[in-house]
Each structure stands twice: as C-alpha cells, then as structure tokens.
Amino acid sequence: MVLSSTNSASSNSPMLSMSGQGVVKGITIGKAVVMGASTLEVPHYYVPIKDVNNECDRLLTAIEKASSELLSIIDMLPGDSPLELAPVLDVHRLLLQDPLLIDGSCELIRHHRYNAEWALATQGQALIEQFTSLSDEYMRERGGDIRQVIERVLAVLSGTADDLLANFSTHPDDQPRIVVARDIAPADMLRLRDGRFSAFLTDLGGPTSHTAIVARSMNVPAVVGLGSLRNLVRDGDTLVVDGETGAVFVNPTIQILQQYELLQKQYLQERETLALLVGAKAETLDGINVQLEANIELPEEADKALSSGAQGIGLFRTEFLFMGKKSLPSEEEQYLAYSSVVRTMAGKPVTIRTLDIGSDKTLDNESTVATNPALGLRAVRYCLDQPELFLTQLKAILRASAFGHIKVLIPMITSMQEVHAVFEAVSHAREALLISHPEIKPDFSVGAMVETPAMAIAVEPFAKALDFLSIGTNDLIQYTLAVDRTDPEVSSLYDPTHPSVLRLISNVINVGDRFGIPVSMCGEMAGEAQLTRLLLGLGLKSFSMHYQQILDVKKQVINSHSTELRYALASTLNHASRVDASVLNIHTK
Ligand code: PEP
Ligand code: MG
C-alpha cells in the first residue's frame, strides 16, 4: 500500500512511503536491487496441427529440466541452509509432477493448439485462482508456489533461466543491498542467501509465505505483501526498511534517513546487549525463577534453541513430520526424530505435542474439507478417530523417553472423556511397547494444551487429572473472540489483551497453582516481549516461544518485579474492561 510521497534526500524523485507486513525484525538502509519481472505474460500463438505433439514434448522437456534443476539444488544444499528450504523445494518438484498442471496444459496444446508457454500459463493461472480464492490464508499462499513453479518452467522454455541474478552486480559500492521482487521462489531464495543481501521486500506473500519463512530462518529483515512496490522502485534507489512495523521508504527525506539511522544504531546495540543474556538466569527482581523454553517444528531446530539459551523445548509441533509427505511417517522415523531432540537437549525437558492436524494444517492424503475445519475433526479428535496413527506416535514418543525428559502434550482437549481416552491410548502404547521393546522403561508425563474456552473456564478436573498444562493462546484467542486467526480481514479483532482472554489465562494459572501443577504458555503471546510483564503479572512462570524471541523476553523478566506486577493487575483485572497499560508499562492495543 502506498501511504504518501514527499521530496527525497538522495534523488530527484519524491520520497514514497509504503506499508506491508513486517515478517522479520530489523532495520536496513540500502540500495534497491530489483529482481526481473516475475510474470505469467507469455507469447501467444497457435501451433500448426502437425506440430502439437512436438509442442507437448517441448513443454514436457522443459518441465523435466526445471525439475532436475530443483533436484540438483536440493542435492547441493549447503549444510547451513535454512531448514525449511529442502521440504519446500520438494513441494515445488511435486507440483511440477501434478497431472492437473501437466495434462491440463497438454490438453490445451492438443485441442486448442496453444503454444507451450501459453498453455502452461493458462492452466497455471486457473490453478492459482483456485488456490487464491480459498479462505484459508496458508492455502491461499500456496497459489504463490504454483506461480513460482510455472515461472521456472517458462524461464527454461524461453532460455532465460539464469537471468535472475543478472543485474545483481550493478552496485559496486559497499552499501547494503535490498532485494525488491514481486515474489521470491524458495530456489531463488537459496541463491540470494549468501549474505549479499540485507533485506527482502516482496509485493506478494504473507507471514506464512516461503519468503517469510526462509527470511526468518536467515534472520534478514523482510517485509511482504507490499502490493506494488516492485513497479515503483528503480534499481539503485535508496530504501529504508523496518522489518518490525512493515514500513518501507523509497528515496527517503533527510529527516527519515537520520531518524532510521538512529533507530538502526539503537537496534544493533540492543541486539549486542541482548546477546550477553544467553547464559543469564531468567529471574525477576524479586527472585522468581522463570522457565524460558523454545517452540520447534523440526528436530534440527533443537540445536538453535539450545544455543539461544532455551531451558527446554516447550512445544515440539510434530505435525511437520507428517505434512507434505505421501505416506505417514513410520514409528521408527518418528522415534529417530523425537530421540534426536531429546538427546540434543541433554536432560532438559522436551515437550512433544501429539499430532495437531486439521484446521490450517492438513495431511496430503486428506481430501475431505470440513464445513468449518477449526471446529471440526482436528488435533486430539483426529488422533482418537485414527487409533492406529495415534498408537504409532505414542509408541515412538515412549521409546524416545528412555533418553531423557519427555513430556507428552495433547492438543485441543475440551472434555474429560477425551482425557480418559488419551490415557487409555497411552496404556495401549505402553503394553505394545512391553512386547516390542521390553528393554525400554518409558518415563514421561502427560499434559494438555488449554486452547478452548471450555477447558480454560472449567479447568479444575483437568488440573487434577493431568501432570501439566500449556496454554495455547493462538487457538484460545481464536475460539474466545470468534476470530479466524488466519483471516487477514478480521485480524484487527484478534486481541491477546482482550479482558476475556486475560481472565481465562488468569483462571488457568490460578487453578494450576491451587492444584500444584505447572502451567506454561506456548502460543505466540508468550514470545511477545511487550506482553511479558502482563503475563508475569498474571502469575505465569513458564514461557515457550520461537528461539529468536527468548532473549527479548528474558530481558523483560530480569527487569520486572513480579509481585508488584501481580498486585497491579489483581486490582484491575476483574473490574476494568481493559487492563490499564500505564499500570504495567505495557503496550496494549
Ligand atoms: C496455540 O494454539 O497457541 C498453539 C501453540 O498451537 P498451534 O499454533 O500449533 O495451533
Ligand atoms: Mg493450537
């Protein structure tokens, strides 16, 4: 979105300010490197009838070439590549084998005599539109993957596959370079990851787009969803990027430049000071010990969690072992994944969440779409409906528990019947293990996520029956406020500081205290440093978040007096319609 334009400091062009979605924090000031037009505009002509088979072959050869290029990129992925990259590139290879794309395009060539580029772009556009019309944000963004895959084949067809980086040598000065693109395919992202670029800006994409995911793992500031930036920026323009707020300034005025130079300096100093906290104890000014753990999605992330000072894994989202696969992972595969995390964490607790599939995360072989997936057969409901799948996962987790400290976490519980059914499934897994691996003595605790108002309001029986609770605020907020967490059209209503949400959280923590069971929080709210004091004031003593957020939260913990915060909140929580931000010195909406 273009917000405004004024006179710029560095060129004759007026300053433009744009706003997108900041997905990786950090400030970069540098020169624009505009990536080649990424478009499905292609030559259109009719192929003589006698040549249609050859034209089909031309398309199939290009698809095969694009696919083997991707395969060699995957094979040569350097060891320090972002973890998400290989699976994403695999998905792109699978898309290249999709019969809807291939057969549909060949049909257009054979029956309508379209040239290969025209056929592929037409068929691809239809598929993209199908995806982009879906209400689920994650699925909408997959339309972007299809576009990227098609562009790759089109580049092979036109012989321009290697032009992507052609203009990247146009700035010999040592100013940071900022990639401006319509969208960046994961394979191209790999070519951009060698440290030459200090920020990424794209017109398309949202927080779960691959540009965002890969930029996050590279820790390079990024803003996505900028709309039409690419058309408004020229190669070499000066850019200011704020990866936190999503603000982008093109050819900034001298005032903006100076303001952001100062902010950048402050930000870098802050990061340096924060790095000193890695080994520090997370203890409040009044001596309360706070547990700071990490959320991970892949086993390989455990290392990073550990070196960021995580005291354990508070949430291992195991569904990422299941998604994007043709078949379900075997017990052995799962056992290897879980035990590798447990070994890496060397005695620190590892909380493994059982499969949370459904809603915004689906398995490849699931073809049915629920009327309302967020309220459908998801998470524990799905696992109890698929006892074999659940048994396999539980057995793998129990086997891994022999190597360290495992906590089994059950998502989306709403009733005690479900808890009893889970206990039964766990005993089956235990019995099965006695037969298959009698030498293993599993040792683990069982807890549940508090993600539904049903559980948060009447939490006592759950606190009595389970070993621990972990508040999943992402879903708890979604279900309390009736706001789809992935729908950008209602995102302004998604408010973690809504009084109803805070009272539910407070209730769960108080009941946990009363029953003497640990209560943790593993939703996004736990990693938002501006909310740490609020959560300490509610009595929370265990937080789990993305490992990159741990030090920011630790800084807040170290500088807070939890008893004072508890007093400040107790007097307002049950009376005020909003928590008074000045009381806690926090920023509420
Ligand atoms: C949550 O709901 O807060 C949570 C951590 O689970 P997920 O985001 O994986 O649904
Ligand atoms: Mg959840």
Side-chain angles (χ1 to χ4, degrees):
M1 188 193 349
V2 181
L3 293 181
S4 63
S5 79
T6 3
N7 287 337
S8 100
S10 52
S11 79
N12 294 329
S13 330
M15 176 183 88
L16 283 179
S17 66
M18 312 265 300
S19 151
Q21 206 157 6
V23 288
V24 187
K25 222 165 130 178
I27 291 170
T28 305
I29 300 169
K31 294 283 183 197
V33 177
V34 181
M35 256 172 70
S38 159
T39 168
L40 298 188
E41 280 166 29
V42 291
H44 294 58
Y45 55 89
Y46 291 101
V47 181
I49 191 91
K50 65 174 175 41
D51 291 339
V52 289
N53 282 340
N54 287 346
E55 191 66 3
C56 248
D57 288 346
R58 191 165 80 86
L59 176 63
L60 296 178
T61 312
I63 289 177
E64 234 177 271
K65 182 158 183 234
S67 177
S68 57
E69 270 177 17
L70 280 175
L71 191 62
S72 48
I73 291 176
I74 296 169
D75 285 346
M76 291 185 319
L77 273 182
D80 61 342
S81 301
L83 296 170
E84 297 84 348
L85 212 46
V88 167
L89 291 169
D90 270 335
V91 169
H92 279 204
R93 282 196 65 235
L94 285 178
L95 284 174
L96 278 176
Q97 292 157 16
D98 188 339
L100 271 179
L101 189 66
I102 299 178
D103 299 349
S105 304
C106 280
E107 205 168 293
L108 287 171
I109 297 174
R110 291 209 173 92
H111 296 137
H112 298 272
R113 298 183 17 238
Y114 284 13
N115 61 310
E117 291 88 343
W118 184 10
L120 180 69
T122 307
Q123 183 63 10
Q125 193 60 48
L127 290 175
I128 291 168
E129 275 160 23
Q130 274 177 24
F131 272 87
T132 46
S133 67
L134 295 173
S135 62
D136 182 296
E137 190 189 2
Y138 180 83
M139 293 308 285
R140 268 203 311 275
E141 287 186 4
R142 301 297 65 85
D145 288 279
I146 299 177
R147 176 184 291 279
Q148 290 166 353
V149 157
I150 292 169
E151 282 166 353
R152 197 152 196 96
V153 181
L154 289 176
V156 174
L157 281 168
S158 66
T160 57
D162 294 323
D163 279 358
L164 174 79
L165 303 179
N167 59 355
F168 281 8
S169 53
T170 52
H171 306 297
D173 53 50
D174 55 4
Q175 291 219 43
R177 296 174 195 186
I178 297 169
V179 175
V180 180
R182 189 145 170 276
D183 199 7
I184 308 175
D188 294 331
M189 203 73 192
L190 184 70
R191 296 203 253 173
L192 305 178
R193 62 176 282 286
D194 58 1
R196 280 181 295 166
F197 300 100
S198 309
F200 295 110
L201 304 177
T202 61
D203 287 351
L204 303 179
T208 64
S209 63
H210 297 313
T211 307
I213 293 170
V214 180
R216 212 172 278 135
S217 68
M218 290 160 66
N219 206 10
V220 170
V223 180
V224 299
L226 280 154
S228 54
L229 179 73
R230 202 197 145 275
N231 289 336
L232 300 170
V233 173
R234 281 165 312 180
D235 220 27
D237 277 349
T238 301
L239 298 177
V240 168
V241 177
D242 185 334
E244 185 168 20
T245 62
V248 174
F249 299 91
V250 185
N251 296 320
T253 60
I254 191 80
Q255 291 86 346
I256 292 282
L257 208 53
Q258 285 171 346
Q259 181 192 339
Y260 274 88
E261 277 167 355
L262 195 67
L263 284 172
Q264 187 183 38
K265 221 183 247 168
Q266 283 169 354
Y267 178 77
L268 293 174
Q269 274 166 359
E270 254 171 52
R271 297 319 302 171
E272 270 176 34
T273 321
L274 273 184
L276 302 174
L277 294 182
V278 170
K281 237 170 132 182
E283 192 179 276
T284 60
L285 293 172
D286 49 334
I288 302 291
N289 233 312
V290 174
Q291 179 83 357
L292 298 182
E293 299 185 335
N295 294 353
I296 61 168
E297 289 167 358
L298 294 166
E300 297 85 342
E301 288 171 309
D303 258 340
K304 289 187 191 159
L306 205 55
S307 54
S308 309
Q311 294 161 277
I313 301 298
L315 173 65
F316 180 179
R317 288 184 163 101
T318 59
E319 45 280 7
F320 288 87
L321 300 173
F322 291 70
M323 285 158 63
K325 302 265 167 69
K326 285 227 162 106
S327 56
L328 296 172
S330 65
E331 180 188 317
E332 196 60 24
E333 248 175 276
Q334 292 187 56
Y335 159 72
L336 290 174
Y338 306 148
S339 55
S340 95
V341 175
V342 176
R343 284 178 209 262
T344 304
M345 297 309 290
K348 292 189 166 64
V350 175
T351 314
I352 301 184
R353 181 172 74 183
T354 55
L355 186 62
D356 183 4
I357 216 71
S359 192
D360 57 336
K361 292 169 273 192
T362 48
L363 292 179
D364 266 20
N365 54 1
E366 290 296 310
S367 52
T368 49
V369 177
T371 332
N372 192 338
L375 305 181
L377 191 71
R378 59 168 296 200
V380 73
R381 301 172 183 179
Y382 184 89
C383 287
L384 293 174
D385 189 63
Q386 305 277 330
E388 275 307 310
L389 173 149
F390 199 27
L391 182 72
T392 306
Q393 180 169 39
L394 288 172
K395 275 173 69 188
I397 298 175
L398 299 192
R399 277 174 67 191
S401 75
F403 299 101
H405 182 176
I406 283 196
K407 298 160 80 177
V408 181
L409 180 61
I410 313 293
M412 268 290 287
I413 290 274
T414 51
S415 75
M416 280 304 292
Q417 281 94 313
E418 283 165 337
V419 172
H420 294 308
V422 166
F423 285 161
E424 215 167 290
V426 171
S427 357
H428 280 156
R430 227 184 231 286
E431 284 158 19
L433 211 61
L434 263 179
I435 297 166
S436 64
H437 295 83
E439 73 288 0
I440 293 176
K441 304 273 164 281
D443 182 17
F444 58 93
S445 47
V446 180
M449 294 196 64
V450 185
E451 303 189 272
T452 60
M455 185 164 171
I457 292 168
V459 69
E460 288 83 354
F462 300 97
K464 217 163 150 183
L466 292 154
D467 297 316
F468 67 96
L469 298 173
S470 182
I471 308 174
T473 49
N474 305 344
D475 278 314
L476 184 61
I477 297 167
Q478 137 159 302
Y479 294 126
T480 305
L481 303 183
V483 176
D484 181 342
R485 59 191 255 202
T486 63
D487 185 345
E489 293 197 82
V490 290
S491 60
S492 61
L493 298 173
Y494 189 89
D495 179 5
T497 64
H498 190 290
S500 308
V501 173
L502 298 185
R503 286 183 206 176
L504 290 180
I505 294 172
S506 165
N507 186 50
V508 176
I509 295 170
N510 292 340
V511 170
D513 280 349
R514 207 151 20 95
F515 283 81
I517 70 158
V519 173
S520 179
M521 179 180 286
C522 61
E524 293 303 304
M525 200 175 167
E528 287 177 28
Q530 73 272 27
L531 298 178
T532 306
R533 289 162 65 76
L534 171 62
L535 296 173
L536 290 170
L538 293 176
L540 191 71
K541 296 191 198 71
S542 177
F543 299 62
S544 188
M545 65 208 80
H546 192 278
Y547 59 83
Q548 279 169 2
Q549 297 168 315
I550 290 179
L551 296 180
D552 284 302
V553 171
K554 195 187 273 191
K555 184 178 163 199
Q556 293 296 319
V557 169
I558 291 173
N559 290 302
S560 299
H561 193 288
S562 73
T563 317
E564 271 174 21
L565 289 169
R566 290 214 76 168
Y567 276 126
L569 257 178
S571 57
T572 58
L573 192 61
N574 288 321
H575 309 294
S577 57
R578 311 272 336 162
V579 172
D580 183 355
S582 64
V583 173
L584 293 159
N585 190 20
I586 55 159
H587 308 287
T588 52
K589 280 195 178 181

